[in-house]
Amino acid sequence: MPIIHKKQLVSTNTYAQQLLDKGKIKNECVIVTDEQTAGKGTASNSWESERGKNLTFSIVLFPAYVKVSEQFLISMAVSLGIKKFLEKNISTQVKIKWPNDIYVGDKKICGMLIENSIAGEDIFNSVIGIGLNINQKKFLSDAPNPISLAQLSGEVYNLENLLPVLVKNIGSQLDLLKKNRKKLLQKDYISNLYRYNEVHKFKASAEVFSGKIIGIDNFGHLFIEKETGSVEKFMFKEVEFII
Ligand code: BTN
């Protein structure tokens, strides 16, 4: 995938979307920047990233191979690619936290913001924004639990060298999706899921309850079995993990 580098952008997702709107991107590519002046997080949060310290980039895909009803497979593939990349650099286990975070222990090392343009049942294009904390040592925002690769390993990384390797890892997982290896991706995703099949506390519609995650479907719904034995299905933002 070609990598387009910009010194500063408002947000790589916004920039990618602008280029798409103008018809200036026709093929898969990656847009990376050293600094975002208004990096976007999920749920209208902002994304903190010190200039030049971390990887903040967007991957643009034209995933004609995925139906809207199975759009979460894109998140599964990308998350697995990031996880596999990280595990080559640190010995600690890396987990994927539903829906779009990567965790080391109970700390967040990476967040993703995926914005899909939908045309009927098909996904016309997908902008996958990835913020991966690499060399940053101090986090100033009120994000509850950030961590970086440097904090975990004590090393300093060269971002320019890391990005192509990371993109390659993500690309390999996306290739599995292109080859329709859905079952393999689902299995790998579930076996690397944060807090899978363990009893924990969750919060939904102001109610705190204990339960365990028992599955995720290809649309991205999370299934939690409550202590009472009933199974409930949640969409993004409908349920929170209580740490
Ligand atoms: C989250 O809140 O966890 C999602 C964070 C996503 C951040 C990345 S950084 C690159 C891309 N551009 C943005 O504005 N946001 C995403």
Side-chain angles (χ1 to χ4, degrees), residues 1-3 30 57 59 85 162-172 174:
M1 258 186 255
I3 297 178
V30 174
F57 63 104
I59 301 177
F85 163 82
L162 281 192
L163 183 62
V165 184
L166 172 58
V167 169
K168 202 162 177 230
N169 277 264
I170 296 172
S172 310
L174 286 168

PDB file of all heavy atoms in Angstrom, residues 1-3 30 57 59 85 162-172 174:
ATOM      1  N   MET A   1       0.844  -1.200   0.000  1.00  0.00           N
ATOM      2  CA  MET A   1       0.000   0.000   0.000  1.00  0.00           C
ATOM      3  C   MET A   1       0.876   1.245   0.000  1.00  0.00           C
ATOM      4  O   MET A   1       1.753   1.368   0.851  1.00  0.00           O
ATOM      5  CB  MET A   1      -0.839   0.027   1.292  1.00  0.00           C
ATOM      6  CG  MET A   1      -2.272  -0.400   1.084  1.00  0.00           C
ATOM      7  SD  MET A   1      -3.215  -0.159   2.593  1.00  0.00           S
ATOM      8  CE  MET A   1      -3.373  -1.847   3.153  1.00  0.00           C
ATOM      9  N   PRO A   2       0.646   2.183  -0.872  1.00  0.00           N
ATOM     10  CA  PRO A   2       1.438   3.418  -0.843  1.00  0.00           C
ATOM     11  C   PRO A   2       1.165   4.227   0.424  1.00  0.00           C
ATOM     12  O   PRO A   2       0.040   4.242   0.934  1.00  0.00           O
ATOM     13  CB  PRO A   2       0.970   4.178  -2.086  1.00  0.00           C
ATOM     14  CG  PRO A   2      -0.252   3.511  -2.555  1.00  0.00           C
ATOM     15  CD  PRO A   2      -0.315   2.135  -1.971  1.00  0.00           C
ATOM     16  N   ILE A   3       2.208   4.867   0.930  1.00  0.00           N
ATOM     17  CA  ILE A   3       2.076   5.668   2.148  1.00  0.00           C
ATOM     18  C   ILE A   3       2.293   7.148   1.796  1.00  0.00           C
ATOM     19  O   ILE A   3       3.310   7.518   1.223  1.00  0.00           O
ATOM     20  CB  ILE A   3       3.099   5.210   3.220  1.00  0.00           C
ATOM     21  CG1 ILE A   3       2.804   3.748   3.626  1.00  0.00           C
ATOM     22  CG2 ILE A   3       3.063   6.131   4.436  1.00  0.00           C
ATOM     23  CD1 ILE A   3       3.770   3.146   4.635  1.00  0.00           C
ATOM     24  N   VAL A  30      -2.350   4.666   2.498  1.00  0.00           N
ATOM     25  CA  VAL A  30      -2.201   5.036   3.903  1.00  0.00           C
ATOM     26  C   VAL A  30      -1.827   6.513   3.951  1.00  0.00           C
ATOM     27  O   VAL A  30      -0.975   6.960   3.184  1.00  0.00           O
ATOM     28  CB  VAL A  30      -1.067   4.206   4.563  1.00  0.00           C
ATOM     29  CG1 VAL A  30      -0.801   4.667   5.982  1.00  0.00           C
ATOM     30  CG2 VAL A  30      -1.404   2.720   4.539  1.00  0.00           C
ATOM     31  N   PHE A  57      -2.411   7.571  11.755  1.00  0.00           N
ATOM     32  CA  PHE A  57      -2.581   7.387  10.304  1.00  0.00           C
ATOM     33  C   PHE A  57      -3.956   6.812   9.984  1.00  0.00           C
ATOM     34  O   PHE A  57      -4.667   6.314  10.869  1.00  0.00           O
ATOM     35  CB  PHE A  57      -1.474   6.479   9.751  1.00  0.00           C
ATOM     36  CG  PHE A  57      -1.466   5.069  10.287  1.00  0.00           C
ATOM     37  CD1 PHE A  57      -1.934   4.006   9.515  1.00  0.00           C
ATOM     38  CD2 PHE A  57      -0.982   4.787  11.564  1.00  0.00           C
ATOM     39  CE1 PHE A  57      -1.910   2.704   9.996  1.00  0.00           C
ATOM     40  CE2 PHE A  57      -0.960   3.483  12.056  1.00  0.00           C
ATOM     41  CZ  PHE A  57      -1.424   2.441  11.268  1.00  0.00           C
ATOM     42  N   ILE A  59      -5.944   4.309   7.049  1.00  0.00           N
ATOM     43  CA  ILE A  59      -5.865   3.402   5.907  1.00  0.00           C
ATOM     44  C   ILE A  59      -7.164   3.571   5.125  1.00  0.00           C
ATOM     45  O   ILE A  59      -8.247   3.531   5.721  1.00  0.00           O
ATOM     46  CB  ILE A  59      -5.741   1.937   6.365  1.00  0.00           C
ATOM     47  CG1 ILE A  59      -4.492   1.750   7.236  1.00  0.00           C
ATOM     48  CG2 ILE A  59      -5.713   0.969   5.181  1.00  0.00           C
ATOM     49  CD1 ILE A  59      -4.318   0.347   7.784  1.00  0.00           C
ATOM     50  N   PHE A  85       1.624  -7.280  15.181  1.00  0.00           N
ATOM     51  CA  PHE A  85       2.772  -6.375  15.073  1.00  0.00           C
ATOM     52  C   PHE A  85       3.334  -6.063  16.464  1.00  0.00           C
ATOM     53  O   PHE A  85       4.541  -6.140  16.701  1.00  0.00           O
ATOM     54  CB  PHE A  85       2.337  -5.083  14.362  1.00  0.00           C
ATOM     55  CG  PHE A  85       3.283  -3.948  14.536  1.00  0.00           C
ATOM     56  CD1 PHE A  85       4.413  -3.836  13.738  1.00  0.00           C
ATOM     57  CD2 PHE A  85       3.064  -2.983  15.518  1.00  0.00           C
ATOM     58  CE1 PHE A  85       5.308  -2.780  13.912  1.00  0.00           C
ATOM     59  CE2 PHE A  85       3.947  -1.927  15.696  1.00  0.00           C
ATOM     60  CZ  PHE A  85       5.070  -1.833  14.892  1.00  0.00           C
ATOM     61  N   LEU A 162       8.886   1.793  11.442  1.00  0.00           N
ATOM     62  CA  LEU A 162       7.825   0.939  11.994  1.00  0.00           C
ATOM     63  C   LEU A 162       6.592   0.872  11.098  1.00  0.00           C
ATOM     64  O   LEU A 162       5.993  -0.192  10.933  1.00  0.00           O
ATOM     65  CB  LEU A 162       7.357   1.461  13.352  1.00  0.00           C
ATOM     66  CG  LEU A 162       8.168   1.180  14.599  1.00  0.00           C
ATOM     67  CD1 LEU A 162       7.335   1.535  15.820  1.00  0.00           C
ATOM     68  CD2 LEU A 162       8.617  -0.265  14.686  1.00  0.00           C
ATOM     69  N   LEU A 163       6.223   2.031  10.519  1.00  0.00           N
ATOM     70  CA  LEU A 163       4.935   2.091   9.828  1.00  0.00           C
ATOM     71  C   LEU A 163       4.786   1.060   8.696  1.00  0.00           C
ATOM     72  O   LEU A 163       3.769   0.343   8.654  1.00  0.00           O
ATOM     73  CB  LEU A 163       4.640   3.518   9.340  1.00  0.00           C
ATOM     74  CG  LEU A 163       3.275   3.675   8.670  1.00  0.00           C
ATOM     75  CD1 LEU A 163       2.136   3.364   9.647  1.00  0.00           C
ATOM     76  CD2 LEU A 163       3.098   5.076   8.100  1.00  0.00           C
ATOM     77  N   PRO A 164       5.777   0.944   7.794  1.00  0.00           N
ATOM     78  CA  PRO A 164       5.595  -0.049   6.721  1.00  0.00           C
ATOM     79  C   PRO A 164       5.433  -1.480   7.251  1.00  0.00           C
ATOM     80  O   PRO A 164       4.681  -2.267   6.682  1.00  0.00           O
ATOM     81  CB  PRO A 164       6.875   0.070   5.889  1.00  0.00           C
ATOM     82  CG  PRO A 164       7.518   1.333   6.295  1.00  0.00           C
ATOM     83  CD  PRO A 164       7.029   1.694   7.648  1.00  0.00           C
ATOM     84  N   VAL A 165       6.124  -1.781   8.353  1.00  0.00           N
ATOM     85  CA  VAL A 165       6.016  -3.131   8.934  1.00  0.00           C
ATOM     86  C   VAL A 165       4.598  -3.342   9.487  1.00  0.00           C
ATOM     87  O   VAL A 165       3.961  -4.379   9.269  1.00  0.00           O
ATOM     88  CB  VAL A 165       7.062  -3.340  10.063  1.00  0.00           C
ATOM     89  CG1 VAL A 165       7.016  -4.761  10.581  1.00  0.00           C
ATOM     90  CG2 VAL A 165       8.449  -2.958   9.589  1.00  0.00           C
ATOM     91  N   LEU A 166       4.124  -2.320  10.189  1.00  0.00           N
ATOM     92  CA  LEU A 166       2.769  -2.397  10.749  1.00  0.00           C
ATOM     93  C   LEU A 166       1.738  -2.538   9.627  1.00  0.00           C
ATOM     94  O   LEU A 166       0.826  -3.386   9.703  1.00  0.00           O
ATOM     95  CB  LEU A 166       2.498  -1.142  11.591  1.00  0.00           C
ATOM     96  CG  LEU A 166       1.077  -0.951  12.100  1.00  0.00           C
ATOM     97  CD1 LEU A 166       0.629  -2.129  12.944  1.00  0.00           C
ATOM     98  CD2 LEU A 166       0.975   0.337  12.921  1.00  0.00           C
ATOM     99  N   VAL A 167       1.899  -1.728   8.588  1.00  0.00           N
ATOM    100  CA  VAL A 167       0.945  -1.769   7.470  1.00  0.00           C
ATOM    101  C   VAL A 167       0.969  -3.159   6.809  1.00  0.00           C
ATOM    102  O   VAL A 167      -0.067  -3.700   6.411  1.00  0.00           O
ATOM    103  CB  VAL A 167       1.250  -0.647   6.454  1.00  0.00           C
ATOM    104  CG1 VAL A 167       0.478  -0.819   5.165  1.00  0.00           C
ATOM    105  CG2 VAL A 167       0.938   0.716   7.073  1.00  0.00           C
ATOM    106  N   LYS A 168       2.142  -3.764   6.756  1.00  0.00           N
ATOM    107  CA  LYS A 168       2.262  -5.101   6.169  1.00  0.00           C
ATOM    108  C   LYS A 168       1.495  -6.132   7.015  1.00  0.00           C
ATOM    109  O   LYS A 168       0.785  -6.989   6.491  1.00  0.00           O
ATOM    110  CB  LYS A 168       3.740  -5.481   6.099  1.00  0.00           C
ATOM    111  CG  LYS A 168       4.016  -6.527   5.080  1.00  0.00           C
ATOM    112  CD  LYS A 168       5.470  -6.589   4.701  1.00  0.00           C
ATOM    113  CE  LYS A 168       5.608  -7.737   3.719  1.00  0.00           C
ATOM    114  NZ  LYS A 168       6.665  -8.653   4.062  1.00  0.00           N
ATOM    115  N   ASN A 169       1.641  -6.012   8.329  1.00  0.00           N
ATOM    116  CA  ASN A 169       0.921  -6.922   9.226  1.00  0.00           C
ATOM    117  C   ASN A 169      -0.591  -6.774   9.072  1.00  0.00           C
ATOM    118  O   ASN A 169      -1.321  -7.756   9.050  1.00  0.00           O
ATOM    119  CB  ASN A 169       1.288  -6.645  10.684  1.00  0.00           C
ATOM    120  CG  ASN A 169       2.579  -7.317  11.092  1.00  0.00           C
ATOM    121  OD1 ASN A 169       2.579  -8.394  11.646  1.00  0.00           O
ATOM    122  ND2 ASN A 169       3.691  -6.676  10.770  1.00  0.00           N
ATOM    123  N   ILE A 170      -1.053  -5.544   8.972  1.00  0.00           N
ATOM    124  CA  ILE A 170      -2.487  -5.298   8.799  1.00  0.00           C
ATOM    125  C   ILE A 170      -2.922  -5.829   7.433  1.00  0.00           C
ATOM    126  O   ILE A 170      -3.960  -6.482   7.304  1.00  0.00           O
ATOM    127  CB  ILE A 170      -2.803  -3.786   8.942  1.00  0.00           C
ATOM    128  CG1 ILE A 170      -2.488  -3.311  10.362  1.00  0.00           C
ATOM    129  CG2 ILE A 170      -4.268  -3.500   8.592  1.00  0.00           C
ATOM    130  CD1 ILE A 170      -2.582  -1.799  10.574  1.00  0.00           C
ATOM    131  N   GLY A 171      -2.093  -5.573   6.424  1.00  0.00           N
ATOM    132  CA  GLY A 171      -2.399  -6.028   5.063  1.00  0.00           C
ATOM    133  C   GLY A 171      -2.560  -7.541   4.983  1.00  0.00           C
ATOM    134  O   GLY A 171      -3.454  -8.039   4.287  1.00  0.00           O
ATOM    135  N   SER A 172      -1.733  -8.274   5.733  1.00  0.00           N
ATOM    136  CA  SER A 172      -1.836  -9.751   5.694  1.00  0.00           C
ATOM    137  C   SER A 172      -3.186 -10.212   6.228  1.00  0.00           C
ATOM    138  O   SER A 172      -3.782 -11.165   5.714  1.00  0.00           O
ATOM    139  CB  SER A 172      -0.766 -10.417   6.555  1.00  0.00           C
ATOM    140  OG  SER A 172       0.464  -9.896   6.253  1.00  0.00           O
ATOM    141  N   LEU A 174      -5.938  -8.360   6.246  1.00  0.00           N
ATOM    142  CA  LEU A 174      -6.963  -7.933   5.278  1.00  0.00           C
ATOM    143  C   LEU A 174      -6.978  -8.892   4.076  1.00  0.00           C
ATOM    144  O   LEU A 174      -8.042  -9.142   3.497  1.00  0.00           O
ATOM    145  CB  LEU A 174      -6.712  -6.499   4.828  1.00  0.00           C
ATOM    146  CG  LEU A 174      -7.046  -5.423   5.865  1.00  0.00           C
ATOM    147  CD1 LEU A 174      -6.504  -4.067   5.441  1.00  0.00           C
ATOM    148  CD2 LEU A 174      -8.567  -5.335   6.098  1.00  0.00           C
TER     149      LEU A 174
END
